[in-house]
PDB file of all heavy atoms in Angstrom:
ATOM      1  N   ILE A 489     158.581  90.735  85.986  1.00 55.00           N
ATOM      2  CA  ILE A 489     157.602  91.751  85.726  1.00 55.00           C
ATOM      3  C   ILE A 489     158.305  92.877  85.042  1.00 55.00           C
ATOM      4  O   ILE A 489     159.239  93.490  85.557  1.00 55.00           O
ATOM      5  CB  ILE A 489     156.946  92.232  87.021  1.00 55.00           C
ATOM      6  CG1 ILE A 489     156.246  91.058  87.713  1.00 55.00           C
ATOM      7  CG2 ILE A 489     155.912  93.349  86.720  1.00 55.00           C
ATOM      8  CD1 ILE A 489     155.712  91.405  89.079  1.00 55.00           C
ATOM      9  N   HIS A 536     174.260  79.935  65.770  1.00 84.00           N
ATOM     10  CA  HIS A 536     173.352  79.795  66.882  1.00 84.00           C
ATOM     11  C   HIS A 536     172.179  80.812  66.772  1.00 84.00           C
ATOM     12  O   HIS A 536     171.044  80.561  67.024  1.00 84.00           O
ATOM     13  CB  HIS A 536     174.085  79.967  68.214  1.00 84.00           C
ATOM     14  CG  HIS A 536     173.190  80.005  69.376  1.00 84.00           C
ATOM     15  ND1 HIS A 536     172.511  78.899  69.859  1.00 84.00           N
ATOM     16  CD2 HIS A 536     172.819  81.008  70.210  1.00 84.00           C
ATOM     17  CE1 HIS A 536     171.757  79.203  70.866  1.00 84.00           C
ATOM     18  NE2 HIS A 536     171.931  80.464  71.134  1.00 84.00           N
ATOM     19  N   PHE A 537     172.577  82.005  66.357  1.00 83.00           N
ATOM     20  CA  PHE A 537     171.580  83.050  66.152  1.00 83.00           C
ATOM     21  C   PHE A 537     170.563  82.622  65.083  1.00 83.00           C
ATOM     22  O   PHE A 537     169.349  82.724  65.313  1.00 83.00           O
ATOM     23  CB  PHE A 537     172.192  84.401  65.767  1.00 83.00           C
ATOM     24  CG  PHE A 537     171.153  85.304  65.219  1.00 83.00           C
ATOM     25  CD1 PHE A 537     170.231  85.917  66.085  1.00 83.00           C
ATOM     26  CD2 PHE A 537     171.046  85.566  63.868  1.00 83.00           C
ATOM     27  CE1 PHE A 537     169.238  86.714  65.586  1.00 83.00           C
ATOM     28  CE2 PHE A 537     170.027  86.339  63.377  1.00 83.00           C
ATOM     29  CZ  PHE A 537     169.128  86.923  64.244  1.00 83.00           C
TER      30      PHE A 537
END
Side-chain angles (χ1 to χ4, degrees):
I489 301 173
H536 175 69
F537 165 73

